[in-house]
């Protein structure tokens, strides 16, 4: 029978989830890593093609190397217990980016449900300081095959600092329209 509280539980997870960029040094229990693997493999994909591959990185030396994939917004990965590298194969699906994005956010939601914190690190279209693609650097570090693109790395670990949930009143209600664009004149253009 359906758990009637399931919607509320998921809403609470969405309220609590914030990007975590500071992590405790402790590792993630292996059973939780197993659950994260299950969660990401349950991602839906267009035409069920599953054009993705996920590299779960816990080796500290590799995490440090990956944290240098781009000059901004990745350094905290060196302190994470886990980096989930989300890769996609464009020869399998023309919408691999959408599929990889869904897998990325589901990894973040699953991490949240397990009491872990996470942050998305954008890799696709990002560059190293010398102008070479961050993806090429990661391909070299992880020995990825040439047919895979890297969309993102999800940094995961126990939060050392957990940002506060954003109050409902601070959400951008003007980004929502009902039925037709002009119906809510009070919301502006
Ligand atoms: C597509 C995407 C790319 C992102 N890339 C990065 C990134 O490279 N580095 C980073 O620190 N945060 C990154 N973030 C996290 C956003 O900055 C964060 O989600 C946003 O500021 C909202 O904050 P919140 O996650 O705490 O709600 C990314 C988020 C998304 C959805």
């Amino acid at each position: 029978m359906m758990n009637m509280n399931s919607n509320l539980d998921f809403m609470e997870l969405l309220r609590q989830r914030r990007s975590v960029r500071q992590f405790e040094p402790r590792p993630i229990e292996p059973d939780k890593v197993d659950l994260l693997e299950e969660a990401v493999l349950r991602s839906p994909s267009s035409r069920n093609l599953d054009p993705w591959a996920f590299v779960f990185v816990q080796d500290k030396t590799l995490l440090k190397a990956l944290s240098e994939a781009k000059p901004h917004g990745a350094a905290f990965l060196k302190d994470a217990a886990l980096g989930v590298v989300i890769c996609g194969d464009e020869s399998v699906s023309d919408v691999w980016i959408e599929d990889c994005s869904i897998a990325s956010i589901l990894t973040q939601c699953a991490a949240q449900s397990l009491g872990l914190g996470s942050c998305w690190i954008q890799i696709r279209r990002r560059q190293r300081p010398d102008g070479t693609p961050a993806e090429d650097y990661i391909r070299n570090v992880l020995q990825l095959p040439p047919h895979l693109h890297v969309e993102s790395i999800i940094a995961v670990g126990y939060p050392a600092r957990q940002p506060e949930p954003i109050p409902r009143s601070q959400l951008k209600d003007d980004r929502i329209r009902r039925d037709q664009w002009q119906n809510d004149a009070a919301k502006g253009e």
Side-chain angles (χ1 to χ4, degrees):
M1 190 177 146
M2 198 180 129
N3 172 6
M4 296 308 285
N5 287 324
S6 56
N7 282 344
L8 284 178
D9 292 344
F10 188 62
M11 285 307 298
E12 200 50 39
L13 185 149
L14 294 180
R15 289 182 186 118
Q16 298 289 333
R17 189 214 56 78
R18 296 294 314 280
S19 291
V20 170
R21 299 181 178 88
Q22 288 167 266
F23 299 99
E24 288 183 4
R26 65 175 158 138
I28 302 170
E29 296 83 345
D31 60 326
K32 290 195 176 183
V33 177
D34 288 349
L35 289 170
L36 289 174
E37 290 180 1
E38 178 183 345
V40 80
L41 289 173
R42 289 189 184 282
S43 296
S45 66
S46 173
R47 293 155 63 203
N48 207 18
L49 288 172
D50 300 348
W52 19 244
F54 311 107
V55 185
F56 279 61
V57 179
Q58 292 178 280
D59 179 278
K60 283 284 164 203
T61 306
L62 291 175
L63 287 170
K64 168 91 169 56
L66 293 176
S67 77
E68 295 164 9
K70 62 176 189 172
H72 305 291
F76 54 86
L77 182 59
K78 70 179 187 316
D79 302 319
L82 170 68
V84 183
V85 183
I86 312 259
C87 307
D89 186 342
E90 70 178 332
S91 73
V92 173
S93 174
D94 60 342
V95 291
W96 66 273
I97 297 170
E98 287 85 343
D99 292 338
C100 285
S101 298
I102 291 166
S104 297
I105 192 64
L106 285 185
T107 300
Q108 292 200 262
C109 288
Q112 176 77 23
S113 79
L114 296 170
L116 300 163
S118 72
C119 188
W120 182 313
I121 297 169
Q122 181 68 23
I123 299 300
R124 194 180 72 84
R125 299 180 68 88
R126 295 294 175 262
Q127 294 178 340
R128 305 265 296 152
D130 65 5
T132 58
E135 171 179 280
D136 290 354
Y137 171 83
I138 293 171
R139 187 183 318 287
N140 185 46
V141 170
L142 299 181
Q143 301 291 288
L144 298 178
H147 65 278
L148 287 181
H149 289 296
V150 183
E151 165 161 293
S152 65
I153 304 174
I154 308 301
V156 187
Y158 282 98
R161 201 183 74 81
Q162 172 75 53
E164 288 295 314
I166 295 169
R168 174 69 185 89
S169 60
Q170 287 181 23
L171 299 182
K172 296 171 181 141
D173 281 308
D174 63 345
R175 304 297 170 90
I176 306 264
R177 300 292 170 126
R178 292 176 185 153
D179 295 327
Q180 290 187 305
W181 191 257
Q182 296 296 346
N183 278 354
D184 287 305
K187 288 185 177 175
E189 278 294 294

